[in-house]
Every structure is written in C-alpha cells, then in structure tokens.
Amino acid sequence: MHYKRIRDLRTDHDLRQIDVAEFLGCHEGVYRRYENGSREIPLWALMKLAERYDVSVDYILGITDNRRKYGE
C-alpha cells in the first residue's frame, strides 16, 4: 500500500518522480521502483518523505488514514 501513498502524495504536491528522487538523493529509477512497489523503500527515505509531505510515517505505510503526525 505504501507505494500507492507515496505516488499519491507526490502527485498531490505536483512533483515529478525526478524531483522526489533528487530530494532523496537517489536515481530516478530507484525512486520509480519505490513507487511501483518493486523495491522496498528504506526507513531513512520513508522518514524523509513523511517530513517533506508533513504526514505521519503510519499514513504512508497505510496503518492509518489520518495524515496528521502524532501530537498534532
């Protein structure tokens, strides 16, 4: 499920895959595989994306549908 959420978050913010790949410091092909679910996203990248999109890691992972971070 997380691969769909990171794709949806990217498109909601009008970003291209190359934009997010550059933000993460990885190759566009690597990021593309995160989005299509063929490669597991590392924890550091997951945390960085959650911070970038201002959502909880639990939201990206599909554990909750609440986008808000804990304590907010």
Side-chain angles (χ1 to χ4, degrees):
M1 157 126 351
H2 64 277
Y3 57 90
K4 182 177 179 337
R5 289 262 168 107
I6 61 173
R7 182 184 61 234
D8 290 346
L9 286 165
R10 176 182 58 79
T11 58
D12 288 350
H13 286 81
D14 298 322
L15 296 170
R16 301 170 299 161
Q17 287 182 335
I18 188 75
D19 300 325
V20 180
E22 288 175 358
F23 171 75
L24 293 176
C26 67
H27 189 273
E28 181 183 2
V30 171
Y31 179 75
R32 186 179 320 110
R33 288 190 289 278
Y34 295 158
E35 273 197 12
N36 70 24
S38 65
R39 183 174 180 156
E40 285 296 316
I41 187 167
L43 182 58
W44 66 266
L46 182 65
M47 293 172 60
K48 206 167 176 182
L49 289 176
E51 187 68 29
R52 166 67 176 88
Y53 297 131
D54 196 30
V55 297
S56 69
V57 171
D58 285 353
Y59 175 77
I60 294 176
L61 292 175
I63 296 169
T64 183
D65 289 329
N66 183 357
R67 290 179 177 230
R68 300 176 88 189
K69 295 179 183 180
Y70 293 114
E72 289 185 0

